[in-house]
Amino acid sequence: MDKDQFAKSYIDAIAHCRDMNMRFIEIGEGWAEMALPYDPRLIGDPRTGVIHGGALTALMDSCCGAAVLCHPAGGGGTATIGLRIDHLRGAAPGQEITVKATCYHATRSVAFVRALAYDDDRETPLATATGTFTVEPAK
């Protein structure tokens, strides 16, 4: 499956990705980069306009899962086992959020992933994540 087919099928298969208008920026062997456009429906604090932490969590989890599926050991399916997210700061209102996740190690049954989230300020991440995901080899 080529990159465009993978991206379309991934977004189509996961309702919250589709409903939140997530999109892929790029994918490679064992990594993925996804974006979440600013959307007033996702605001967590109406006084500040900052996107809710749950929306950022959904983006980070989805991007980490995609990185596992892009890893040579994966491709058949994955599910989140555990995900730790450290929220470092709120995203600037009006800005798209991007996440880059890397699957840095995979066994026969578990993949290990790291991710960083940013808005336009690429010097100061919004959040970091580390996670474990199931590995289902491609058939």
Side-chain angles (χ1 to χ4, degrees), residues 24-106:
F24 280 92
I25 296 170
E26 186 64 60
I27 58 174
E29 188 172 287
W31 65 272
E33 188 171 12
M34 293 179 72
L36 175 67
Y38 186 80
D39 186 336
R41 297 176 306 143
L42 304 176
I43 292 173
D45 183 349
R47 292 173 296 134
T48 63
V50 172
I51 294 296
H52 192 281
L56 176 56
T57 297
L59 176 63
M60 294 189 89
D61 186 40
S62 299
C63 191
C64 287
V68 172
L69 293 175
C70 291
H71 191 277
T78 191
T80 309
I81 297 170
L83 185 65
R84 176 194 166 99
I85 298 178
D86 292 320
H87 295 269
L88 306 174
R89 66 178 178 88
Q95 294 183 8
E96 181 173 77
I97 298 172
T98 61
V99 171
K100 184 169 184 182
T102 304
C103 179
Y104 63 92
H105 181 70

